[in-house]
Amino acid sequence: FPTYFGAPGISYEVPFTFAEHGFNLNVLTVNEHTGTHIDAPLHFSADGQSVDEIPLGNLVCPLCVVDIRARAAADPDPALTPDALSAWAAAILIENTVAVAMAVDTLSLDIGTSATFETHYAWLPTNRFGIENIAGLDAVPAAGATLIVGAPKHAAGSGGPARLLALV
């Protein structure tokens, strides 16, 4: 899986196997920000919520999908603009954000060419979280689904692998 620093995002050893020990057990080494994962507010702030401090109620939330596939076909690095949100009729999201999270099906909340991570620095310090590398959004309706985020609960974590479920 691609990572910002080029190192493998996940690796494991197999110290115990069923054939030899009667059970299977792997030792995992995981970069918190690998695969489908959550960016906790702490990821881009000095004192934001760590992943274990995100309120449980925020891990179940309405899901809205903004589909910019057509733009992405012409531009491999499209930015989601306020105009795109307005065209999608999500004015309430722009004017009076009550959203607790934003999610993308790409490697970063910011556009791929960003060196300043403006979205991370603007969004995460407000104690909202992000989710990166979501798959299957094409199977979810534009509105009306509920997202359930299975987030890790390790103390002081800046994020971690997440299992997502969209209820339609």
Side-chain angles (χ1 to χ4, degrees), residues 87-126:
W88 186 76
I92 192 167
L93 188 64
I94 297 167
E95 296 166 8
N96 187 18
T97 296
V98 294
V100 296
M102 73 166 56
V104 295
D105 60 358
T106 58
L107 188 60
S108 177
L109 298 177
D110 288 281
I111 62 171
T113 57
S114 175
T116 58
F117 302 101
E118 293 173 16
T119 301
H120 279 83
Y121 281 113
W123 185 258
L124 297 177
T126 65

Side-chain angles (χ1 to χ4, degrees), residues 4-5 31-34 37-51 53-54 107-110 117 119-121 123-132 156-160:
Y4 272 96
F5 307 108
N31 175 320
E32 291 177 317
H33 302 273
T34 297
H37 67 274
I38 188 169
D39 282 359
L42 183 62
H43 184 38
F44 271 75
S45 65
D47 58 358
Q49 293 170 336
S50 58
V51 71
E53 295 174 324
I54 295 172
L107 188 60
S108 177
L109 298 177
D110 288 281
F117 302 101
T119 301
H120 279 83
Y121 281 113
W123 185 258
L124 297 177
T126 65
N127 275 335
R128 293 176 173 100
F129 63 92
I131 306 169
E132 297 171 336
S158 70

